[in-house]
Amino acid sequence: MRLSYIKKNGFTLIELLVVIAIISILAAIIFPVFSTAKDKGRQTVCLSNLRQLGTAMQLYTNEWDGLYPASRVIEGGDGNPYGNWAGCFHVGGVCDPTLGQIYSFVMNREMYSCPSDKNSNPPKVTDPKAKPYPLSYSMNDGLSFLNADTMNAPAYRVGLLLHEDVKTIDDGDFNWSGWADGPGGYNAPTGIHSGGACVIYCDLHAKWQPKKQIMADLEAGLWNPYMK
């Protein structure tokens, strides 16, 4: 009687295989959705970071008579390097956002890096002391020390900060002239967020854009602050 009961209420091999197949199909459907949602979450954080950094840039310009901070590493008259907006002192070297020109308006080191680039080791950062690199974003070099009131181009068209590709970033400076992916592969926007990058413009609107669109805008010179 007991054996008959067990046989009646147990699962056959075919039934088990059917259940496993159903679970596999559901997993194949659900897991990509979770992955996409996770990436969208990182993209949202990335946009938030850029908005915070852009606001800090504006506060900096207000305090410095309309002048933007330095986009690239600069050398003083004494031969010593001076940090830029993000605290980079050598191309391919150590970057310390807490020593950057806008940090007093941010006070959060985490905002300088996209979650997608966490613990990344950019190949163009050659100083081993600089890894992992704490920076994901680069500033339009055409804005370096520029007075915001003298810019010829409309502010909504000129990119201020860009999420740069981890393969090319090395100093927090981004060339506006269309040299992206040029000689040596410098200054390329990332494509880590669904084939695109997050950008904040000089009017402080931030958005995601396809990498191809950013490249086309750069090649057309639309990020040139001197071009009407």
Side-chain angles (χ1 to χ4, degrees), residues 8 19 23 41 58 78-79 84 108 112 116 122 147 151 155 159 162 171 177 188 192 203 207 212 219 225 227:
K8 183 178 180 180
V19 171
I23 292 174
Q58 184 179 54
D78 56 2
N84 65 353
N108 188 338
Y112 289 77
S116 298
N147 189 308
M151 187 167 61
L162 167 78
D171 63 356
S177 64
I192 199 167
D203 67 344
K207 64 179 180 178
K212 289 183 178 180
E219 290 169 3
M227 187 176 78

Side-chain angles (χ1 to χ4, degrees), residues 140-153:
N140 183 347
D141 69 349
L143 299 170
S144 190
F145 297 118
L146 177 72
N147 189 308
D149 295 331
T150 64
M151 187 167 61
N152 293 327

